[in-house]
Amino acid sequence: MSERSDFLIGRASPEDAAAIAALHAKALPPGWPESDFAASAVEANRALLKATDRGRVCGFALFQFAADEAEVLAIAVALDAQGRGHATRLMQAAFELCRERFIACIYLEVAETNGKARGLYEKLGFRVVARRDNYYRHESSASETALVMRLDTVRSAVDPEISSP
């Protein structure tokens, strides 16, 4: 899974957990412990993907699988690597894994105010199916609403020409 020789997407290993935890803490404070990412890298019902640019971890996506459903638990791209399509490529690589597992739908949650992420998810075919008011609580600001988004078919995510019902 590669776009060019210095940018790669692949499975993360437990050795990548420290870099991924640090990236997660910057993108989504306070972040999760390194041990959670190390465990996720080897857990059968999870997929932890990493994006590397010139050997540096610059993004990751963590998916969880249950029966014929998947959930995006977390995705982040380093600030200095944003705007280059890394998040799209991470999601597309995850969609390939979902297709291999015969996943029928994928869920995720996103802050209602996170327009950049919502735009990406909508471009990939996700649609809002529910709202969770006051879901995200921040010490320094008011709580935020989470939008639950769903992609009904992996095929519609991989091939944007096919619309979701």
Side-chain angles (χ1 to χ4, degrees):
M1 293 185 243
S2 166
E3 289 298 314
R4 58 179 206 262
S5 62
D6 55 349
F7 177 78
L8 301 169
I9 292 180
R11 289 270 192 164
S13 70
E15 291 76 28
D16 298 310
I20 291 171
L23 177 59
H24 186 258
K26 285 182 183 176
L28 304 162
W32 297 340
E34 179 181 333
S35 59
D36 287 1
F37 289 106
S40 292
V42 296
E43 203 170 308
N45 68 337
R46 289 192 172 181
L48 179 58
L49 300 176
K50 66 178 178 178
T52 57
D53 195 352
R54 296 175 187 89
R56 176 182 73 105
V57 174
C58 64
F60 76 92
L62 176 58
F63 275 61
Q64 179 167 280
F65 306 103
D68 67 344
E69 296 181 355
E71 181 181 2
V72 180
L73 297 178
I75 181 171
V77 173
L79 276 175
D80 65 343
Q82 290 181 4
R84 299 183 198 159
H86 296 344
T88 299
R89 287 187 214 109
L90 278 163
M91 292 292 284
Q92 289 171 336
F95 293 156
E96 184 62 33
L97 294 175
C98 289
R99 185 169 40 235
E100 291 170 8
R101 289 175 164 260
F102 302 102
I103 298 298
C105 63
I106 303 168
Y107 290 93
L108 60 83
E109 292 170 353
V110 62
E112 187 174 40
T113 59
N114 190 342
K116 188 184 281 190
R118 287 179 57 196
L120 168 67
Y121 302 142
E122 289 169 0
K123 178 181 85 171
L124 292 170
F126 284 87
R127 299 291 173 251
V128 175
V129 295
R131 295 172 50 91
R132 293 183 174 157
D133 293 331
N134 303 313
Y135 185 76
Y136 296 110
R137 300 194 188 277
H138 306 288
E139 290 180 20
S140 61
S141 63
S143 59
E144 285 188 76
T145 296
L147 300 178
V148 178
M149 300 184 83
R150 176 182 168 138
L151 179 66
D152 287 323
T153 66
V154 176
R155 179 147 167 75
S156 66
V158 174
D159 185 354
E161 297 301 314
I162 299 172
S163 61
S164 297

